[in-house]
Amino acid sequence: MPPATADLATTWAFLEEGVDHIMTKLQTGVSYSKYMSLYTVAYNYCTSSRMHNTTTDIVGQGSRTGANLMGSDLYNNLIRYFITHLKLLKDQSDSLQDEALLRYYAGEWDRYTTGANYINRLFTYLNRHWVKRERDEGRKGVYPVYTLALVQWKSNFFLHVQSKHTKLAGAILRLIERQRNGETIDQGLVKKVVDSFVSLGLDESDINKASLDVYREHLETPFLDATEKYYEQESEAFLAESSVSDYLKKAEERLKEEEDRVDRYLNTDTRKQLVSKCEHVLIRQHSDLMWESFQSLLDFDKDEDLQRMYALLSRIPEGLEPLRKKFEEHVKKAGLAAVAKLLGEGSEGADSLDPKAYVDALLEVHRKNSETVTRSFRGEAGFVASLDKACREFVNRNAATGSSTTKSPELLAKHADMLLRKNNKMAEEEDLEGALNRVMVLFKYIEDKDVFQTFYATKLSKRLIHGVSASDESEASMISKLKEACGFEYTNKLQRMFTDMSLSKDLTDQFKERMANHDDMDINFSIMVLGTNFWPLSAPNNDFIIPPEILPTYDRFSKYYQTKHSGRKLTWLWNYSKNELRTNYLNQKYILMTSSYQMSVLLQYNKHDTLSLEELIAATAISKDILSQVLTLLVKAKVLINEETDQYDLNPNFKSKKIRVNLNQPIKAEVKAESSEVLKTVDEDRKYVIQATIVRIMKARKTMKNQPLIQEVISQISQRFAPKIPDIKKAIDTLLEKEYIERVDGTRDTFAYVA
């Protein structure tokens, strides 16, 4: 070990031998004492302030003295050593190619960086003082020893190898291509070489910061270009001889492979650009073809392929929009076709359409396509919107509805009515709840929700009056579903009907208690008192002579009600009332369940055996056309015989298998009238809804132009029904007449609210 006062030549000779041992023969080991003596010599030399004769100046400007100069002497000798060392590597690498070159490069890189690490620690003092001061004074070309080793490697070895037809990066790219072609390669080797590219990057402004300049310039850019070329050729060739379904699989696999490649041996910064490049070549460039084949995948329910296509196209901007449009069209066609098929099967057309079959057909289309959205398109909002749009279209406008928008709500309300009736097979709770939920699925798409509401109220009133509700729980469940969908206002009337029913029951019980001491109260009797505003029932428009058999009860109840509620008027709805009659004229006693009109006809036969149509009209005051239908039903049931024109006899030989005979069948005219009645009510209600909405808007805004007012009305009402513009204009005129609003002076189309 040279003394502390030794000159540069002696000192460097000792240090160079140690440095060379560490750089080339580290595997044979370095003893602790040897390492410490090297460290001490370097330290001594740097701290010696004596002038040396050597003034060679490679780095460090001007004539520097003392410790400054000592540092630059050592630093410059290190540079010379690295250059010499690397020249040997350069010469050996010149004859190597491809994998052999990579193996040689990786091995030498390992040895070099490990050695440089040790040497960096040997010259800690140099780094800490001389290098730091030089850098602080703005000399950018001076680096800590380890960084210096990398800088020398880059300029004296790396760039030399790369400059010959990018030998190094080329070798890596050829290996990657071989892997893409299915061969197995040494990924560890590739990773080592790639990592060296990253390590060689240097940020001059802050040498401690990682820089990817070298990696980007020498590897990433050519790698991305090669990737683009490779996949352009592969995808063209693959599509030329394979189906789109197979291509989707291939593209999916390739994208996954490339993402894995980044994880295995590339820098993570490459991921974004690589994926974007692959998406462009594999998906964007073939997106037209995918869009075209989407329809056939839908037609043949190719779930897996649809999932793949969705996953691929969702990766590129605007890739899904054409699919959403096609899907919407597909669902719409399926819905229209389902209804057309249903009409084709039934012979009598839309009027006699079975509500259940109609609802089931629409629900099946929704269910199938909703599953496709969930399964194949991961429930993506755009596809859900397409499904909703298409369903709204075919639920409201199809072969069964024609140009009318009221047909679907009517059929849906009738279907709900059948579900909620006692004799319905689905009345087992679970099924029924599920069926009601399915009704709500279609209800969401109905445009004219007010039509559904009115039909539903009419049907509900019949169920309650005739006591044929499956259960109060189911009725309440359906009403709460409607309330959730449309708000309190929508179901207010329906809930009031139930209130009336329970009040009526209490009223009947109180009346019976009061009358218990009357001897002639042997008629079993119950009454329903229903609020006119809440029940969609119309009073009979013909006279009716109350049979003397029930007259006392009628009178007593009327008086009793007036004492309880003076000022209220009772309107008796004979057209909805029903009775039970016991037969005493036959060997077998029957109970005939009848309507009030049938009862009043049959009670006439207590005094007569035969009566003409005219006599019956006189006795009952029922209008001729309704009475004819009542009689037709009684003749059909063989209770009366009609052997001569307009002459009706009691049948003495009436027989029936059932003891309780139900004669109370709906009259055709009533069924027809019900639909037109409902639609008339809806039209009336709509006028008032539109007027009320206009007043509400004008009250808030004070003044408003015609066009914005119409738009605002449409947006507020469209939840209930789709208002027609002429109806809105008519409502505006009506409100002008009624002086709720007025035209602003000097303008033609601006209105003001009149307080």
Side-chain angles (χ1 to χ4, degrees):
M1 184 170 132
T5 54
D7 63 358
L8 176 64
T10 319
T11 306
W12 179 248
F14 178 78
L15 284 175
E16 186 174 26
E17 186 270 327
V19 166
D20 190 57
H21 181 90
I22 289 172
M23 290 299 285
T24 56
K25 306 189 200 65
L26 189 63
Q27 68 277 20
T28 62
V30 180
S31 69
Y32 181 67
S33 58
K34 170 83 172 163
Y35 187 79
M36 280 315 294
S37 58
L38 285 167
Y39 183 91
T40 310
V41 169
Y43 175 81
N44 287 343
Y45 187 78
C46 284
T47 52
S48 148
S49 58
R50 190 172 48 75
M51 278 294 290
H52 292 279
N53 299 332
T54 44
T55 53
T56 319
D57 198 10
I58 294 180
V59 178
Q61 276 72 46
S63 53
R64 321 289 299 274
T65 57
N68 283 349
L69 199 56
M70 309 297 161
S72 72
D73 289 341
L74 278 187
Y75 191 81
N76 292 329
N77 275 323
L78 270 173
I79 292 177
R80 281 194 209 94
Y81 170 76
F82 285 137
I83 293 170
T84 316
H85 176 72
L86 290 166
K87 185 172 184 332
L88 293 171
L89 302 191
K90 227 176 358 185
D91 297 343
Q92 283 176 301
S93 73
D94 281 347
S95 61
L96 299 172
Q97 288 286 351
D98 287 349
E99 203 165 339
L101 172 68
L102 293 178
R103 287 197 187 288
Y104 176 76
Y105 178 93
E108 289 306 324
W109 168 259
D110 265 356
R111 192 202 320 265
Y112 184 84
T113 48
T114 312
N117 236 319
Y118 282 106
I119 291 164
N120 187 49
R121 283 182 230 160
L122 276 184
F123 292 95
T124 303
Y125 193 84
L126 182 74
N127 286 339
R128 206 176 284 159
H129 295 278
W130 184 79
V131 171
K132 186 175 182 306
R133 191 178 310 125
E134 291 288 309
R135 286 193 68 78
D136 287 348
E137 287 173 10
R139 289 181 190 81
K140 294 286 183 225
V142 179
Y143 308 102
V145 172
Y146 183 72
T147 310
L148 173 70
L150 295 183
V151 170
Q152 295 304 323
W153 172 279
K154 178 183 163 189
S155 51
N156 292 299
F157 181 48
F158 173 80
L159 290 175
H160 167 77
V161 181
Q162 264 295 82
S163 64
K164 297 188 172 178
H165 313 298
T166 63
K167 233 161 76 164
L168 206 53
I172 295 175
L173 296 181
R174 282 189 288 281
L175 267 189
I176 292 175
E177 183 165 340
R178 277 168 56 193
Q179 189 180 32
R180 281 179 179 149
N181 292 336
E183 293 180 41
T184 307
I185 63 164
D186 182 347
Q187 298 187 133
L189 174 63
V190 177
K191 182 164 176 53
K192 258 186 201 152
V193 180
V194 171
D195 285 349
S196 82
F197 280 66
V198 177
S199 303
L200 292 174
L202 181 68
D203 185 341
E204 287 293 352
S205 59
D206 179 358
I207 53 174
N208 295 319
K209 249 167 82 179
S211 161
L212 293 173
D213 295 352
V214 176
Y215 171 76
R216 289 225 168 94
E217 181 191 340
H218 292 279
L219 183 66
E220 187 180 76
T221 308
F223 166 70
L224 291 172
D225 293 343
T227 301
E228 184 170 21
K229 265 200 206 80
Y230 180 86
Y231 283 130
E232 270 176 355
Q233 288 169 355
E234 184 188 69
S235 57
E236 288 297 338
F238 190 87
L239 277 166
E241 50 192 41
S242 305
S243 68
V244 172
S245 292
D246 292 338
Y247 178 72
L248 294 172
K249 278 184 206 145
K250 183 80 173 166
E252 191 177 53
E253 284 163 15
R254 283 308 203 186
L255 282 162
K256 189 172 182 329
E257 274 173 36
E258 293 305 318
E259 293 209 24
D260 288 349
R261 195 177 316 290
V262 177
D263 294 335
R264 289 205 187 102
Y265 50 71
L266 295 172
N267 185 273
T268 49
D269 267 42
T270 306
R271 180 188 299 275
K272 198 173 172 193
Q273 277 175 283
L274 173 61
V275 168
S276 149
K277 184 76 78 181
C278 291
E279 284 171 353
H280 181 75
V281 178
L282 293 171
I283 306 171
R284 165 62 74 207
Q285 289 184 358
H286 301 291
S287 55
D288 287 350
L289 194 60
M290 293 189 200
W291 293 334
E292 279 164 32
S293 60
F294 177 66
Q295 189 59 51
S296 74
L297 298 184
L298 274 178
D299 292 341
F300 295 105
D301 297 328
K302 295 276 182 64
D303 262 351
E304 283 183 20
D305 292 338
L306 287 171
Q307 283 171 25
R308 273 194 201 98
M309 187 178 282
Y310 168 80
L312 291 173
L313 287 170
S314 64
R315 300 173 74 135
I316 61 170
E318 298 304 312
L320 293 175
E321 197 44 44
L323 298 195
R324 294 189 192 110
K325 288 204 174 89
K326 285 182 186 238
F327 180 66
E328 183 185 326
E329 203 47 45
H330 170 79
V331 176
K332 191 168 135 190
K333 274 190 189 147
L336 295 174
V339 177
K341 183 177 173 217
L342 197 63
L343 285 175
E345 288 167 3
S347 50
E348 294 155 47
D351 283 343
S352 63
L353 199 54
D354 171 28
K356 182 180 187 320
Y358 178 75
V359 169
D360 286 349
L362 297 182
L363 278 170
E364 181 50 32
V365 175
H366 177 271
R367 182 197 62 76
K368 185 178 174 207
N369 289 290
S370 179
E371 279 177 11
T372 304
V373 170
T374 312
R375 217 176 27 231
S376 303
F377 311 135
R378 298 180 197 160
E380 192 262 348
F383 282 97
V384 172
S386 295
L387 173 70
D388 287 348
K389 211 166 155 197
C391 289
R392 195 166 294 116
E393 193 54 44
F394 75 71
V395 165
N396 291 293
R397 284 167 284 282
N398 56 48
T401 63
S403 58
S404 145
T405 52
T406 60
K407 192 72 186 164
S408 271
E410 177 181 346
L411 288 166
L412 188 61
K414 285 181 175 170
H415 174 64
D417 175 52
M418 288 195 273
L419 290 176
L420 290 161
R421 281 174 172 269
K422 256 184 193 154
N423 55 2
N424 172 35
K425 294 183 187 67
M426 290 191 77
E428 287 119 39
E429 281 319 301
E430 283 168 47
D431 290 359
L432 183 53
E433 190 58 22
L436 294 178
N437 284 334
R438 287 192 288 280
V439 167
M440 292 309 294
V441 168
L442 288 188
F443 177 77
K444 180 174 82 173
Y445 297 122
I446 293 280
E447 281 172 6
D448 291 352
K449 290 188 167 60
D450 57 340
V451 176
F452 176 89
Q453 179 195 30
T454 315
F455 270 107
Y456 187 84
T458 307
K459 295 292 183 190
L460 172 63
S461 68
K462 299 275 172 57
R463 288 199 297 281
L464 295 178
I465 288 172
H466 300 311
V468 292
S469 241
S471 76
D472 284 355
E473 289 76 27
S474 304
E475 293 284 5
S477 164
M478 185 64 188
I479 288 176
S480 77
K481 290 184 206 306
L482 291 170
K483 189 174 180 178
E484 203 175 303
C486 295
F488 168 75
E489 194 67 18
Y490 192 82
T491 54
N492 187 17
K493 282 186 179 178
L494 306 180
Q495 283 172 317
R496 281 301 300 262
M497 287 189 194
F498 282 94
T499 314
D500 279 355
M501 290 303 288
S502 63
L503 289 174
S504 297
K505 189 178 177 308
D506 296 346
L507 191 65
T508 303
D509 291 345
Q510 289 162 9
F511 176 65
K512 280 185 181 164
E513 272 176 42
R514 177 90 178 271
M515 297 297 153
N517 52 356
H518 284 268
D519 300 336
D520 57 352
M521 281 300 290
D522 62 342
I523 293 180
N524 210 345
F525 162 89
S526 74
I527 191 141
M528 295 178 202
V529 179
L530 314 172
T532 313
N533 291 343
F534 310 115
W535 290 74
L537 305 173
S538 46
N541 47 13
N542 53 318
D543 293 332
F544 179 61
I545 297 171
I546 300 165
E549 286 83 348
I550 62 166
L551 195 56
T553 312
Y554 167 85
D555 285 338
R556 276 186 196 134
F557 182 79
S558 298
K559 284 185 190 128
Y560 171 71
Y561 191 77
Q562 285 308 321
T563 57
K564 274 184 86 75
H565 305 283
S566 63
R568 285 194 192 173
K569 180 172 179 263
L570 286 178
T571 305
W572 292 76
L573 305 177
W574 298 111
N575 44 340
Y576 295 106
S577 305
K578 53 183 185 174
N579 318 83
E580 290 184 2
L581 303 177
R582 199 178 291 115
T583 63
N584 293 321
Y585 66 99
L586 300 165
N587 297 336
Q588 170 71 53
K589 290 201 172 178
Y590 293 104
I591 290 171
L592 306 179
M593 298 188 283
T594 63
S595 68
S596 291
Y597 294 160
Q598 289 172 331
M599 167 199 70
S600 70
V601 168
L602 290 175
L603 287 177
Q604 302 307 317
Y605 289 91
N606 278 336
K607 304 191 190 79
H608 309 277
D609 287 338
T610 178
L611 286 158
S612 68
L613 181 60
E614 293 305 326
E615 286 168 336
L616 284 168
I617 290 173
T620 61
I622 301 171
S623 65
K624 186 172 181 178
D625 55 339
I626 290 186
L627 187 60
S628 302
Q629 291 187 43
V630 170
L631 290 167
T632 306
L633 275 172
L634 293 173
V635 170
K636 194 177 170 193
K638 300 193 174 142
V639 177
L640 297 181
I641 306 171
N642 171 219
E643 286 168 345
E644 301 163 43
T645 311
D646 291 350
Q647 194 66 32
Y648 296 89
D649 304 350
L650 192 61
N651 178 8
N653 304 319
F654 173 76
K655 279 192 173 56
S656 165
K657 288 178 185 169
K658 294 180 179 169
I659 300 293
R660 292 173 70 81
V661 184
N662 185 14
L663 301 175
N664 192 3
Q665 302 298 329
I667 294 175
K668 268 208 180 113
E670 283 181 4
V671 178
K672 270 266 168 70
E674 182 187 278
S675 285
S676 54
E677 220 24 67
V678 165
L679 297 178
K680 218 189 285 169
T681 313
V682 168
D683 282 344
E684 278 305 306
D685 287 351
R686 281 185 179 183
K687 281 181 199 162
Y688 296 123
V689 169
I690 294 173
Q691 287 178 23
T693 307
I694 295 171
V695 170
R696 209 168 35 242
I697 294 167
M698 291 303 297
K699 193 173 182 180
R701 304 282 179 86
K702 300 300 183 244
T703 61
M704 212 170 178
K705 280 190 176 313
N706 184 42
Q707 207 46 43
L709 176 60
I710 290 175
Q711 289 309 318
E712 184 62 27
V713 171
I714 291 172
S715 82
Q716 286 197 19
I717 296 181
S718 56
Q719 288 300 313
R720 275 181 68 104
F721 61 91
K724 298 185 180 74
I725 289 176
D727 292 347
I728 299 175
K729 287 182 173 166
K730 221 180 266 175
I732 292 174
D733 292 341
T734 310
L735 292 170
L736 284 167
E737 270 171 40
K738 291 182 179 173
E739 296 184 357
Y740 279 98
I741 56 175
E742 61 188 9
R743 289 187 197 278
V744 174
D745 291 343
T747 64
R748 287 190 55 200
D749 65 343
T750 308
F751 304 109
Y753 176 68
V754 180

